[in-house]
Amino acid sequence: MAKWLNTIVALLILNIFSSNIIIIFAQTATSLSNNLEPEPSLPEPRAYIPNENNLDFVYHSHEELTKFLRATSARYPNLTALYSIGKSIQGKDLWVMVVSSSPYEHMLGKPDVKYVGNIHGNEPVGRELLLHLIQYLVTSYETDQYVHWLLDNMRIHILPSMNPDGFAVAKEGACEGGQGRYNARGFDLNRNFPDYFKQNNKRGQPETDSVKDWISKIQFVLSGSLHGGALVASYPYDNTPNARICRSSALCAMFQTYAASPSLTPDDDVFKHLSLVYAKNHAKMSRGVACKSATPAFENGITNGAAWYPLTGGMQDYQYVWYGCMEVTLEISCCKYPPAYELRKYWEDNQLSLIKFLAEAHRGVQGFVLDSSGTPIERASLKVKGRDVGFQTTKYGEFWRILLPGYYKLEIFAEGFAPREIEFVVVEQHPTLLNVTLQPAKRTDSAIIHHYRPLPGSPQHYRPPHPPPPSYNSNSGLFSSITNSLNSIYSNIFG
């Protein structure tokens, strides 16, 4: 009997003890659940609503970019026009937004200007700033007299992303490196244009072919190309005739590339001025502070491209030599692909510069070339004497040339007309208006006129004297491989 009672007592004690364990465990679990936050789940996809009055400071995918541009165009049909200049390798549209009080029609006597962003896919700050520039222009037209004047007196073409395929594979937070820099075929688009100083044998890409076709149809006067990896405004020439210095040795040529010296255009004074306009209106650029100890500091925040480091096939040299468009490369972020939370600060730093730079298209001389009956002369060739890179008239006979204050002489040539020279003065306050009437050529003038006709396949205006050909093959052998590798490394570091 006593043994049976002992067994019952033992079971009761075990049951009580087990219950206490369960209670303690439950209490502990409850306490843990109350004191510990749950594991964070993956964030929901950002619900992007294209609202041009509330454009967020994030990196927009190609689809989001497209939605924003379409929504803006629909909301501001009197100030914007959206068009595509072509498609990337992977079929993404290369969208351009025109912002102007006359977005669908050219304004007679008023210039076309442009900005291009994201030519290197892993340098997307410019891509986002150009979206914010579009938003700022359309929302400020009625309230900001300066913006109102800009949009009434020019057409602003904005290509936010020239390399959407590269952007799609680039990584946010990567300040250096090459992932996403190139297009989907592995080509650097800012090494893919025809070059004045060296033959560029790289196969043309759809993105660069689209841009070449674009600028051949519109007479752009001024342009800015937005990059990342440094903080500087860099102006032409980007390439240099280093064969003049280093003719016989491939090794010598390789080291000459990195003992860079300036390669100055005939319009060096204008390019320096344009670069300073951007740098001095920027919050930091004109201080000339190096991004890090291993990179150069730039006096006043500007540099000649070749003096920084030479490159072949750049977009700004091509536009200047072939079409007379003055383009400056704007390196706007030390980090190529900074975190999105920094974008607001980049916009604040660059907003005034982006606006003031465009206004420089109204500096210098502008006018019309007409025949004796007042009919416009299309594709008349012009150059400012002493500045051997020329430009042409539009189909309406218009021309523009950015010049600093001074005395100049304009030379005008057109097939079937006698050439003319006209002296004029440029002042600081406003552009000089200069209308030119050409008279029909006499038979004895025909040889002179023929002399100024462009050769087939050449740029349709004047070019500086071509440097002598190098005495080595820069595209072959060991030294070429080393030089190309160094160029690639340098580009990945600096932009």
Side-chain angles (χ1 to χ4, degrees), residues 85 96 113-120 126-127 130 157-163 193 211 214-215 220 223-227 315 319 327-330:
I85 60 170
V96 173
V113 299
K114 66 181 173 68
Y115 277 126
V116 177
N118 206 200
I119 187 171
H120 292 137
R127 170 192 179 106
L130 292 180
H157 303 247
I158 298 175
L159 170 59
S161 180
M162 185 177 160
N163 188 1
F193 288 87
V211 169
W214 181 37
I215 63 179
F220 289 111
S223 176
S225 172
L226 279 64
H227 290 251
M315 183 167 69
Q319 293 192 88
E327 179 168 285
V328 174
T329 297
L330 306 167

Side-chain angles (χ1 to χ4, degrees), residues 409-429:
K409 183 178 288 186
L410 185 66
E411 299 177 340
I412 311 102
F413 307 91
E415 185 171 2
F417 295 89
R420 281 195 67 179
E421 288 187 358
I422 299 180
E423 294 182 349
F424 64 97
V425 178
V426 170
V427 297
E428 178 67 32
Q429 290 78 12

Side-chain angles (χ1 to χ4, degrees), residues 28-301:
T28 302
T30 303
S31 176
L32 284 173
S33 67
N34 289 333
N35 293 330
L36 294 179
E37 293 184 5
E39 278 190 28
S41 58
L42 291 175
E44 291 294 322
R46 184 163 50 85
Y48 181 71
I49 302 174
N51 181 346
E52 60 285 335
N53 290 316
N54 248 334
L55 182 66
D56 42 357
F57 285 96
V58 296
Y59 291 105
H60 296 83
S61 69
H62 183 73
E63 291 72 22
E64 292 169 343
L65 177 148
T66 300
K67 288 178 181 178
F68 169 75
L69 294 176
R70 285 177 171 163
T72 303
S73 186
R75 182 161 185 172
Y76 296 93
N78 296 326
L79 292 177
T80 63
L82 182 62
Y83 65 98
S84 172
I85 60 170
K87 293 184 182 292
S88 68
I89 295 291
Q90 296 178 347
K92 299 182 180 74
D93 277 295
L94 304 179
W95 292 116
V96 173
M97 176 74 88
V98 182
V99 186
S100 171
S101 61
S102 178
Y104 289 95
E105 294 182 6
H106 172 69
M107 293 187 287
L108 198 63
K110 298 178 181 180
D112 286 89
V113 299
K114 66 181 173 68
Y115 277 126
V116 177
N118 206 200
I119 187 171
H120 292 137
N122 64 338
E123 298 170 15
V125 174
R127 170 192 179 106
E128 297 304 325
L129 295 196
L130 292 180
L131 295 183
H132 283 275
L133 178 62
I134 291 169
Q135 175 192 244
Y136 177 75
L137 292 174
V138 297
T139 57
S140 302
Y141 179 72
E142 298 295 345
T143 57
D144 187 316
Q145 290 184 350
Y146 196 90
V147 171
H148 198 288
W149 179 85
L150 279 181
L151 270 57
D152 280 354
N153 288 278
M154 63 173 57
R155 298 175 78 231
I156 304 167
H157 303 247
I158 298 175
L159 170 59
S161 180
M162 185 177 160
N163 188 1
D165 297 346
F167 170 76
V169 298
K171 298 298 182 184
E172 183 177 340
C175 289
E176 299 177 357
Q179 182 175 348
R181 175 184 179 87
Y182 311 102
N183 77 345
R185 288 180 182 157
F187 282 80
D188 187 327
L189 299 180
N190 202 37
R191 309 293 187 274
N192 197 241
F193 288 87
D195 194 274
Y196 169 63
F197 292 102
K198 293 181 180 178
Q199 184 175 356
N200 190 357
N201 294 319
K202 293 183 176 66
R203 181 160 56 99
Q205 297 302 296
E207 297 90 346
T208 48
D209 289 343
S210 295
V211 169
K212 286 188 287 185
D213 185 57
W214 181 37
I215 63 179
S216 72
K217 294 175 179 176
I218 300 174
Q219 186 90 339
F220 289 111
V221 177
L222 179 65
S223 176
S225 172
L226 279 64
H227 290 251
L231 196 61
V232 66
S234 174
Y235 55 89
Y237 290 119
D238 268 332
N239 211 350
T240 180
N242 57 17
R244 288 176 174 170
I245 303 169
C246 206
R247 301 187 183 190
S248 59
S249 164
L251 181 63
C252 178
M254 179 184 72
F255 285 109
Q256 175 61 33
T257 298
Y258 294 97
S261 57
S263 181
L264 305 182
T265 71
D267 291 291
D268 187 62
D269 58 338
V270 175
F271 277 116
K272 284 179 179 174
H273 169 80
L274 293 172
S275 301
L276 282 170
V277 166
Y278 198 93
K280 288 183 176 180
N281 284 289
H282 188 279
K284 304 182 182 73
M285 190 179 288
S286 63
R287 299 176 195 168
V289 179
C291 283
K292 51 188 177 182
S293 59
T295 60
F298 302 99
E299 185 178 358
N300 296 318

Side-chain angles (χ1 to χ4, degrees), residues 281-284 344-353:
N281 284 289
H282 188 279
K284 304 182 182 73
R344 183 182 297 274
K345 183 59 178 172
Y346 283 114
W347 168 244
E348 293 169 354
D349 289 349
N350 286 274
Q351 178 183 355
L352 186 60
S353 294

Side-chain angles (χ1 to χ4, degrees), residues 365-371 377 380-386 391 393 397 399 401 403 406-413 418-426 432-439:
V365 62
Q366 62 187 66
F368 293 82
V369 178
L370 311 166
D371 65 17
I377 300 176
S381 294
L382 305 94
K383 82 179 177 88
V384 176
K385 196 162 187 176
F391 47 103
T393 57
F399 69 89
R401 194 62 167 182
L403 294 166
Y407 293 88
Y408 300 94
K409 183 178 288 186
L410 185 66
E411 299 177 340
I412 311 102
F413 307 91
R420 281 195 67 179
E421 288 187 358
I422 299 180
E423 294 182 349
F424 64 97
V425 178
V426 170
T432 298
L433 301 178
L434 186 65
N435 294 333
V436 180
T437 300
L438 296 185
Q439 300 298 329

